[in-house]
Amino acid sequence: MTEELMFRPLEFKILNLLSSFYMRYYSTNNPNHQVGLKEAVIKGLAPDQGLYMPEHIPVMPASFFEDLPTMTFQEMAYEVIGALFGEDLNLSQVKALVDHTLVFDAPLVKVEEGVYSLELFHGPTLAFKDFGARFCSKLMSMLMEGEERKVRVLVATSGDTGSAVANGFYKVPGVEVIILYPKGKVSALQEMQFTTLGENIHCLEVDGVFDDCQRMVKEAFLDQELNEKMLLTSANSINIARWIPQCLYYFYAWCRLPEKDKKLAVSVPSGNFGNLGAGILAERMGLPIDVFVASTNVNKIVPDFLHGLNFKAKPSIATISNSMDVGNPSNFYRLLALYGNDEALLRKKVKGFFFDDEDTAKVMKKVQCETGYTLDPHGAVGYLGLRNFLRMNGDDYVGIFLETAHPGKFKSVVDKVLGIDLELPDRLKEFMKGKKKAAALPNDYGAFREFLSSAN
Ligand SMILES: *Cc1c(COP(=O)(O)O)cnc(C)c1O
């Protein structure tokens, strides 16, 4: 995909000339391909299909870490986001971004001795993707200020991404969101989380499967004539505006951890590896995390790599932790880049474990029974990875695992595994009361194109 295909190159060239003092973002496929913040965010993916990375990573000063335990989540985030984006955004923009994003907490909950759950599911759609989606929407609308054209965000979803993006972009001025999802292939709860909003959120129920939705979105990005008429962008998880803000809760977790005299292991249940990559970003910024645990289900491409095999994409396998069923983890090259493309260093700092559905279900029961804590299937994989690491590394470490979704989001699995009827949180119940608004779309690009062209 060439630059010319997607957006007006002249605009960006001028912008880039003016912005030589600003942070540059390079492509993981070619360090010489560099762009400014606006282009990196609006494009999402580099034209050579590489991922954008900040050209330098700021290290937070010692005074920051001394003050951290007394700071609020917001105060801490002003500093971190200021360090990362301060060359492009002024202080009031940084504050507005953080305040828009952090409207919910991320508590650190003790599950058992030396094991803490970092609960990232207290946002509007009860999954950690809310952090990135909220930040991304706000940053996009800031970068689009003064632009006459509206930006249209195209999203193909199999469920979770659609709800996080729809809720993150809901009523954001200057941005229209178009969600394509496969008819009958997402759960009722997921569907209600994006189809009941209305306003600037438009839902298309496609007579096909997820891959058809994805293909139509890709085709739209490659449609030169369409892109001359309108500004199309994506808000998928490889976008720096979704990826970078995820580093914030690692800092927050560390400052609330009681046992700071021990070494720290952080286990991240992973699919596309954006979340783990953001943890490494925090560590590169000076946060004292001693080891990361990459925990996956049987889609174990990265654990295999960490055990010495070559990185090799495979078809994905369906599991009960289905938001991590990823056969080609797109953020892998970010992990490498963060360690200077030194594979040995990556293998030293990140330990990999994988688990099948039986292991996952078993530990959900065990933890529920022994501690009363209800894990969702993704958090359960994170917990298992951490436990395995701690078993081999004795008493030197304290551990945190990321609980990436509320168990209620996976109610059918959780109920079945635990033999309970889990009470849904009020926020999820609210969605179920709404009215579904979605237009039917045939599985045909021409029809999608017509929808976009007529929508103005
Ligand atoms: C997306 C998702 C993951 C995987 O996160 P990555 O950043 O893609 O590794 C894990 N758990 C849940 C609940 C998710 O929705």
Side-chain angles (χ1 to χ4, degrees):
M1 193 185 306
T2 67
E3 192 165 302
E4 282 72 19
L5 269 178
M6 282 183 73
F7 300 106
R8 293 183 180 172
L10 186 64
E11 253 173 56
F12 283 122
K13 274 183 193 139
I14 294 170
L15 192 92
N16 290 343
L17 257 174
L18 294 172
S19 70
S20 45
F21 292 106
Y22 302 144
M23 178 73 98
R24 313 287 296 160
Y25 295 86
Y26 69 90
S27 162
T28 49
N29 282 346
N30 174 10
N32 295 321
H33 171 80
Q34 298 194 356
V35 299
L37 178 66
K38 180 170 176 177
E39 188 171 354
V41 170
I42 303 295
K43 274 206 176 151
L45 197 64
D48 60 11
Q49 309 287 309
L51 307 175
Y52 284 119
M53 288 294 284
E55 125 220 72
H56 64 264
I57 293 172
V59 175
M60 302 305 289
S63 58
F64 167 77
F65 290 100
E66 282 158 25
D67 295 344
L68 201 49
T70 60
M71 285 186 201
T72 64
F73 201 175
Q74 277 80 1
E75 287 165 344
M76 175 276 288
Y78 299 150
E79 302 283 323
V80 174
I81 295 303
L84 285 159
F85 292 101
E87 291 167 21
D88 290 274
L89 306 175
N90 62 37
L91 196 62
S92 73
Q93 288 176 309
V94 167
K95 285 200 162 159
L97 254 179
V98 168
D99 292 345
H100 178 83
T101 307
L102 300 183
V103 289
F104 48 92
D105 198 16
L108 189 67
V109 176
K110 185 170 181 171
V111 174
E112 57 199 46
E113 211 46 51
V115 174
Y116 293 82
S117 168
L118 178 59
E119 294 186 347
L120 302 175
F121 56 71
H122 296 274
T125 71
L126 300 121
F128 82 96
K129 288 184 176 72
D130 285 327
F131 285 96
R134 292 188 72 81
F135 189 92
C136 182
S137 66
K138 188 73 181 173
L139 183 54
M140 258 185 204
S141 79
M142 274 177 185
L143 296 173
M144 291 302 294
E145 245 164 59
E147 183 84 46
E148 291 155 32
R149 292 172 300 172
K150 276 189 175 177
V151 61
R152 287 186 172 77
V153 178
L154 307 185
V155 190
T157 185
S158 53
D160 272 357
T161 300
S163 54
V165 170
N167 284 273
F169 282 77
Y170 184 50
K171 292 188 181 171
V172 170
V175 187
E176 300 289 319
V177 177
I178 296 114
I179 296 178
L180 286 79
Y181 71 101
K183 183 180 164 83
K185 303 270 184 331
V186 306
S187 77
L189 191 60
Q190 285 175 324
E191 186 178 22
M192 295 302 268
Q193 282 186 302
F194 51 85
T195 57
T196 54
L197 295 170
E199 301 269 349
N200 62 329
I201 311 298
H202 313 278
C203 297
L204 298 173
E205 190 173 19
V206 175
D207 192 10
V209 295
F210 170 70
D211 293 335
D212 298 319
C213 301
Q214 183 132 48
R215 183 178 39 76
M216 282 197 262
V217 165
K218 281 195 178 148
E219 219 164 315
F221 286 133
L222 291 169
D223 186 329
Q224 191 159 7
E225 208 186 304
L226 194 66
N227 282 275
E228 273 163 20
K229 272 199 283 190
M230 57 186 68
L231 197 53
L232 301 178
T233 187
S234 86
N236 66 16
S237 64
I238 47 96
N239 197 308
I240 49 162
R242 273 191 61 189
W243 177 62
I244 290 180
Q246 299 177 151
C247 73
L248 292 173
Y249 41 73
Y250 290 86
F251 286 97
Y252 189 57
W254 179 80
C255 77
R256 268 147 190 77
L257 187 69
E259 294 110 306
K260 288 212 186 36
D261 48 333
K262 288 194 170 176
K263 288 200 224 168
L264 174 58
V266 178
S267 173
V268 187
S270 295
N272 253 328
F273 280 83
N275 211 1
L276 179 66
I280 298 175
L281 175 64
E283 189 256 332
R284 299 275 92 181
M285 293 178 76
L287 187 69
I289 296 175
D290 297 277
V291 66
F292 287 96
V293 181
S295 303
T296 71
N297 55 34
V298 289
N299 294 283
K300 59 186 175 70
I301 289 86
V302 173
D304 279 350
F305 165 85
L306 294 168
H307 288 115
L309 300 181
N310 286 329
F311 179 83
K312 193 163 176 289
K314 298 208 173 97
S316 66
I317 302 163
T319 74
I320 57 169
S321 48
N322 64 319
S323 299
M324 311 198 299
D325 295 347
V326 179
N328 186 9
S330 40
N331 284 290
F332 175 73
Y333 291 98
R334 272 200 172 118
L335 310 189
L336 262 182
L338 286 162
Y339 288 121
N341 293 312
D342 180 344
E343 294 192 358
L345 185 59
L346 177 58
R347 288 187 171 113
K348 182 166 167 260
K349 294 288 292 189
V350 184
K351 301 298 168 197
F353 296 93
F354 70 93
F355 306 94
D356 63 17
D357 283 353
E358 204 185 318
D359 297 329
T360 308
K362 221 156 72 188
V363 88
M364 286 167 70
K365 269 188 267 187
K366 181 169 177 283
V367 170
Q368 166 80 25
C369 186
E370 287 174 6
T371 72
Y373 193 80
T374 308
L375 293 163
D376 100 290
H378 306 78
V381 168
Y383 171 89
L384 268 171
L386 181 62
R387 267 271 148 240
N388 274 267
F389 174 80
L390 292 177
R391 187 178 328 125
M392 293 189 285
N393 293 277
D395 301 333
D396 297 348
Y397 282 87
V398 58
I400 296 174
F401 68 96
L402 274 47
E403 186 36 293
T404 47
H406 190 285
K409 276 203 101 161
F410 301 92
K411 179 171 163 58
S412 58
V413 175
V414 174
D415 281 0
K416 197 164 155 228
V417 167
L418 300 180
I420 58 172
D421 180 12
L422 191 71
E423 172 89 13
L424 285 184
D426 291 343
R427 244 163 316 157
L428 282 184
K429 284 194 216 148
E430 280 305 309
F431 282 115
M432 295 311 280
K433 287 189 207 143
K435 192 169 172 334
K436 170 178 156 181
K437 289 176 230 102
L441 187 73
N443 185 2
D444 165 39
Y445 176 67
F448 181 42
R449 189 174 203 276
E450 199 154 303
F451 173 87
L452 287 173
S453 306
S454 66
N456 272 316

